[in-house]
Amino acid sequence: MMIMSRTYATRRSSCLLVLLFLSYVAVISVSCGSSIDTFSSSSWDEAYVKATSFVGQLTLDEKVSITTGLGWGGGLCVGNINPIPRLNFPGLCLQDSPTGVRFADLASAFPASINAAQTWDKTLLYNRGVAMCEEYRGKGVNIALQPMMNMGRVAAGGRNWEGFGGDPYLQGEAAYQTILGVQSCGVIACAKHYIGNEQEHYRDQETSNIDDRTIHEVYGWPFMKSVQAGVGSFMCSYNQVNGTYACQNNRTLNQILKDEYGFRGFVMSDWWAAKTGVASALGGLDMMMPGDITANSYPLSYFGKNLTEAVNNGSVSMNRLNDMATRIMAPYYLMGQDKGFPPVSLVGKGVNVQGNHSSIIRQVGAESIVLLKNENWILPFSNKAPQPGKPTTFALIGSDAGPSPSGPNGCGGSDHGCVDGTLAQGWGSGTTNFPYLITPLQAITARASANGQSVSSSLSDWDLNAAADAASKADYALVFANCDSGEEYITVDGNMGDRNNLSLWHNADNMISKIASVNPNTIVIIHSVGPVLMPWLSSVRAVVYAGLPGQESGNALADVLFGDVNPSGKLVYTIAELETDYPAQVVYNSPQPHPGIDYTEGLYLDYRWFDAKNIQPVFEFGFGLSYTSFNYQNLTITMMDDVPENINSQNDTVVAHVRYTVLNTGRVAGAEVSQLYLGFPSGLGEPLKVLRGFEKSFLQPGGSAQVDLSLTALEVSTWSVSSQRWQVAHGQYTTYVGASSRDIRLKGSFNL
């Protein structure tokens, strides 16, 4: 049943935002300790007054020095800006990564962003960001190089795991909460990689050819939300966009980001992504990173002395240089970094910033696990003591269950460029060192022992006979499999950043089939950077999709397997039967030195493509099982009287409220992620439905929750290329509420 009513237009409640902010501060004050006492934020206007005054005292060379990094290895951090002692400016430290503080000791290794997104929990996303803020700040990092918002256009994309999945709305909401968290104690977040950096092959040469509407409605959307969150910095990407490099692209940097989105912070280059000096400065680049033209070539730089000369000869105006320096300094003052910010102490200083963060790491790890199959409720395992003489037995199969022989950080060097044990993060600059790594074998053995159960293992991926022997003697066979990816500067097993295909690694498909043939209770656990093919799916009892859970990997998994945590994770991308089912694939080879990658699928990314082409996925976007069951009812839509005519990227005027009830109809407590999709009026060229809201509700057995979601004017608009603005179409909109993109439980409509 769907009920409609109408009332006056409102904006998303500022009172609610204040209350939420105050509640966040209360949480921060407990967890941050003394660090929160020295942090006080300013408004952008106040920050600009301070930044303008500071820049007004600088010489030409000092202004240039603020825009130019010190070169690779030129300081303690991966990116460094020179101090100006006479004005008590200590310089800036820029440091990776989305999984924690890179190249640091005594710091945590968090679940990857793809896992954080799979929780679909805005509060948890925020709290993860707060914990990271505490660690960055404690280590003296001014600018944390995250979040990352590549859209996962190609399923095999090497860095997809650093982002939040295959939908722009979900990416935007996850980025928004992450930025609020990361900047909560005075660290500057960095929205990256702007824009169209969707594969690693040819990333420094290719041009991503994307039409204007698709840029606005898909690839730009999460970056727009980042600006709304008040992010202090952006990072432009390696690739070209429509024939112009992203770090000198006037259209994307000046016109869209700074003018249309109203971004007031600064744009830095990805490391060595800038190809010019004058063109980059005029195109919208504010900071050159790491500063040198190629690694270890400093002081040779496109900025530096060349920028000084360009200002002196009039190629770059003094006004533009002042703008660059002011934009860099404004977030510094916005975050209160001019007062009491800690010195850099990445390694060797004995500064331990881990606090109690292992608890949120474990929580994110557990709540991000997606239960894909659970035939006849084989899971969860019983925690009850077995009958005398009949202990329950588990066989753990595959190298992914156990430790790396060289330790959690010894495999493949500092950036994890290999995988020979359990996988808990990908490879490249998005990684961090593990302070420790709890393996599934450790955690499950400990839990089973406490229950009077027993565990055996066979960790070789290639000795199928030994694995089958162990599995055949156990009540339950748990087969662990993985696949990895990362950045193009590291090649692992022939995979140059991007995966060569979507198959599991290390003989896993053969292993799973073999084990399933000897044990009818075979359960597959997958640690993966993204979707994988599952040709063996019908032969196993359960599939647990654990992703990249960080340092508490094994404990998080055991929490779910033994029922301490009811799985509530949902997929943030579609799992297809065939790789060719996806709308685009990686361009691995091209005869052109600068290949053009045409985004011909336009708006039809991930589930939107599967809907449009009527392709049946193996598991759809938004899918995930629970140990309980949920029902949906009582959909109502309340319309606002006034719909604004002029809509911009900051418009949060609510045009409709959507309300419904979720009920726990099972026997155990659990959480349900309900999802709101919107269908636009026909004739606009929009996908069948697009995600426009979600909420995670924790419910006791028999309990219910009322979910209230709002649709803003921007969220019901499409981008008009001809008029260069957002427009609300007149006609009938359809609301779809359900447990996934295909499991729709309630349907309604409204007219605008």
Side-chain angles (χ1 to χ4, degrees):
M1 179 180 181
M2 189 272 294
I3 302 172
M4 289 188 60
S5 61
R6 183 172 293 274
T7 186
Y8 294 104
T10 62
R11 300 178 71 83
R12 281 185 170 159
S13 172
S14 59
C15 294
L16 176 60
L17 289 175
V18 169
L19 289 172
L20 287 174
F21 177 76
L22 290 174
S23 67
Y24 289 152
V25 170
V27 173
I28 296 166
S29 65
V30 173
S31 57
C32 286
S34 60
S35 67
I36 194 65
D37 298 332
T38 59
F39 166 61
S40 61
S41 64
S42 302
S43 70
W44 276 106
D45 288 342
E46 293 170 333
Y48 257 78
V49 170
K50 295 177 181 179
T52 301
S53 175
F54 177 85
V55 172
Q57 302 175 64
L58 301 180
T59 67
L60 171 59
D61 287 343
E62 287 171 337
K63 293 175 185 177
V64 169
S65 74
I66 287 177
T67 72
T68 310
L70 296 176
W72 184 252
L76 298 175
C77 305
V78 297
N80 304 272
I81 293 295
N82 237 345
I84 303 175
R86 71 179 185 87
L87 295 177
N88 298 316
F89 175 61
L92 297 173
C93 166
L94 296 80
Q95 195 74 7
D96 296 304
S97 74
T99 54
V101 186
R102 187 183 180 203
F103 299 149
D105 61 8
L106 304 176
S108 303
F110 288 82
S113 296
I114 200 73
N115 275 62
Q118 284 175 184
T119 69
W120 295 69
D121 188 322
K122 297 170 189 175
T123 301
L124 199 53
L125 283 159
Y126 173 83
N127 289 339
R128 171 178 173 269
V130 171
M132 286 185 163
C133 181
E134 294 170 16
E135 300 210 3
Y136 284 118
R137 182 183 176 94
K139 287 293 187 179
V141 175
N142 300 93
I143 301 161
L145 303 178
Q146 68 143 316
M148 183 274 218
M149 287 158 283
N150 293 10
M151 282 302 308
R153 173 181 180 263
V154 289
R159 303 185 74 176
N160 291 354
W161 59 274
E162 294 183 45
F164 300 107
D167 178 83
Y169 181 88
L170 177 60
Q171 283 260 13
E173 296 303 302
Y176 188 96
Q177 296 298 330
T178 299
I179 290 164
L180 291 181
V182 169
Q183 296 192 164
S184 66
C185 64
V187 173
I188 300 167
C190 177
K192 65 179 188 180
H193 307 94
Y194 185 75
I195 188 172
N197 185 180
E198 294 294 326
Q199 65 170 63
E200 289 300 285
H201 282 72
Y202 298 106
R203 74 176 186 181
D204 210 35
Q205 297 87 30
E206 61 95 356
T207 174
S208 296
N209 298 323
I210 317 173
D211 68 87
D212 192 47
R213 182 176 178 182
T214 299
I215 285 179
H216 281 82
E217 295 190 23
V218 178
Y219 296 94
W221 187 281
F223 292 104
M224 176 182 66
K225 290 293 295 186
S226 299
V227 176
Q228 292 177 11
V231 72
S233 67
F234 261 64
M235 181 189 291
C236 52
S237 52
Y238 289 105
N239 54 288
Q240 300 178 63
V241 182
N242 297 326
T244 302
Y245 273 104
C247 289
Q248 62 187 60
N249 196 304
N250 180 65
R251 173 61 179 156
T252 57
L253 295 181
N254 287 328
Q255 295 178 10
I256 296 178
L257 176 59
K258 294 182 177 179
D259 293 342
E260 184 186 317
Y261 293 172
F263 176 58
R264 302 183 71 181
F266 67 94
V267 177
M268 73 181 77
S269 67
D270 204 339
W271 271 227
W272 305 289
K275 307 301 179 187
T276 60
V278 172
S280 294
L282 297 180
L285 182 68
D286 302 304
M287 179 187 285
M288 183 81 65
M289 274 292 143
D292 41 11
I293 292 178
T294 57
N296 304 312
S297 66
Y298 189 81
L300 187 63
S301 176
Y302 290 121
F303 278 8
K305 292 182 178 179
N306 284 317
L307 182 55
T308 301
E309 181 180 348
V311 173
N312 283 330
N313 67 27
S315 300
V316 175
S317 70
M318 181 61 75
N319 284 341
R320 172 60 185 130
L321 179 60
N322 287 339
D323 176 56
M324 295 162 70
T326 304
R327 284 179 172 274
I328 292 167
M329 293 305 300
Y332 174 81
Y333 289 111
L334 180 74
M335 292 292 106
Q337 292 185 357
D338 56 323
K339 298 177 182 178
F341 200 82
V344 177
S345 57
L346 294 178
V347 294
K349 300 292 186 179
V351 178
N352 190 329
V353 295
Q354 297 171 84
N356 63 350
H357 298 156
S358 61
S359 61
I360 192 169
I361 291 170
R362 183 168 179 170
Q363 182 183 2
V364 174
E367 291 192 27
S368 64
I369 288 175
V370 184
L371 182 61
L372 295 178
K373 184 177 181 179
N374 193 21
E375 188 177 280
N376 296 327
W377 302 93
I378 190 172
L379 295 174
F381 298 132
S382 174
N383 281 305
K384 296 180 180 179
Q387 297 179 13
K390 296 182 179 180
T392 302
T393 56
F394 303 96
L396 274 60
I397 309 297
S399 64
D400 186 69
S404 166
S406 52
N409 300 310
C411 176
S414 60
D415 288 340
H416 300 281
C418 76
V419 52
D420 59 359
T422 195
L423 182 69
Q425 58 182 261
W427 75 73
S429 65
T431 63
T432 190
N433 290 334
F434 291 102
Y436 61 85
L437 176 56
I438 303 298
T439 68
L441 181 60
Q442 284 177 277
I444 293 172
T445 299
R447 175 58 63 86
S449 177
N451 292 342
Q453 302 159 335
S454 65
V455 173
S456 63
S457 64
S458 177
L459 302 185
S460 170
D461 297 314
W462 303 97
D463 191 341
L464 299 185
N465 290 330
D469 182 64
S472 65
K473 299 174 182 176
D475 295 313
Y476 300 96
L478 281 62
V479 185
F480 287 79
N482 62 39
C483 66
D484 201 359
S485 70
E487 275 192 86
E488 54 83 31
Y489 68 86
I490 298 174
T491 298
V492 179
D493 288 349
N495 297 265
M496 193 183 78
D498 304 312
R499 288 185 282 164
N500 292 337
N501 52 54
L502 300 185
S503 296
L504 288 166
W505 288 20
H506 303 153
N507 200 36
D509 288 339
N510 291 330
M511 178 68 77
I512 293 168
S513 296
K514 180 69 173 181
I515 300 307
S517 71
V518 300
N519 190 314
N521 294 325
T522 295
I523 297 161
V524 176
I525 295 95
I526 297 173
H527 290 109
S528 172
V529 291
V532 298
L533 304 181
M534 302 180 183
W536 35 260
L537 181 61
S538 62
S539 65
V540 302
R541 291 281 302 277
V543 179
V544 179
Y545 218 69
L548 304 172
Q551 67 190 43
E552 288 284 331
S553 175
N555 286 333
L557 178 64
D559 288 343
V560 170
L561 293 179
F562 287 89
D564 295 341
V565 174
N566 191 340
S568 60
K570 302 267 189 171
L571 289 176
V572 296
Y573 43 71
T574 297
I575 296 179
E577 183 175 0
L578 303 170
E579 185 170 357
T580 53
D581 287 343
Y582 293 98
Q585 284 75 41
V586 173
V587 176
Y588 295 102
N589 297 289
S590 173
Q592 304 299 322
H594 296 277
I597 300 179
D598 299 328
Y599 286 42
T600 54
E601 71 283 355
L603 308 178
Y604 292 84
L605 200 68
D606 199 83
Y607 66 91
R608 304 172 176 199
W609 174 266
F610 284 77
D611 285 349
K613 301 298 180 180
N614 198 28
I615 301 171
Q616 181 64 39
V618 177
F619 297 108
E620 71 270 19
F621 176 91
F623 176 82
L625 299 175
S626 171
Y627 294 152
T628 188
S629 56
F630 300 95
N631 194 8
Y632 292 61
Q633 63 185 29
N634 300 333
L635 173 64
T636 64
I637 301 174
T638 303
M639 301 301 301
M640 304 295 104
D641 273 342
D642 301 318
V643 178
E645 291 295 327
N646 297 316
I647 302 169
N648 58 43
S649 63
Q650 300 294 322
N651 196 296
D652 62 353
T653 302
V654 173
V655 298
H657 290 284
V658 180
R659 173 178 292 178
Y660 53 90
T661 301
V662 178
L663 303 92
N664 183 346
T665 56
R667 297 181 178 179
V668 296
E672 172 71 335
V673 177
S674 56
Q675 301 153 46
L676 169 64
Y677 296 85
L678 184 68
F680 284 77
S682 60
L684 297 177
E686 286 291 311
L688 174 65
K689 57 182 179 292
V690 298
L691 183 68
R692 282 295 183 263
F694 60 88
E695 190 65 41
K696 192 167 193 175
S697 304
F698 294 84
L699 300 171
Q700 294 297 319
S704 65
Q706 180 178 282
V707 178
D708 291 285
L709 300 174
S710 59
L711 292 169
T712 68
L714 189 62
E715 291 165 352
V716 300
S717 299
T718 60
W719 179 256
S720 170
V721 176
S722 59
S723 64
Q724 284 294 291
R725 65 187 182 93
W726 294 96
Q727 292 183 333
V728 175
H730 296 289
Q732 186 178 82
Y733 291 76
T734 305
T735 58
Y736 304 89
V737 176
S740 74
S741 63
R742 296 224 165 174
D743 184 5
I744 302 302
R745 309 290 184 87
L746 302 170
K747 184 178 177 181
S749 64
F750 61 89
N751 289 283
L752 291 175

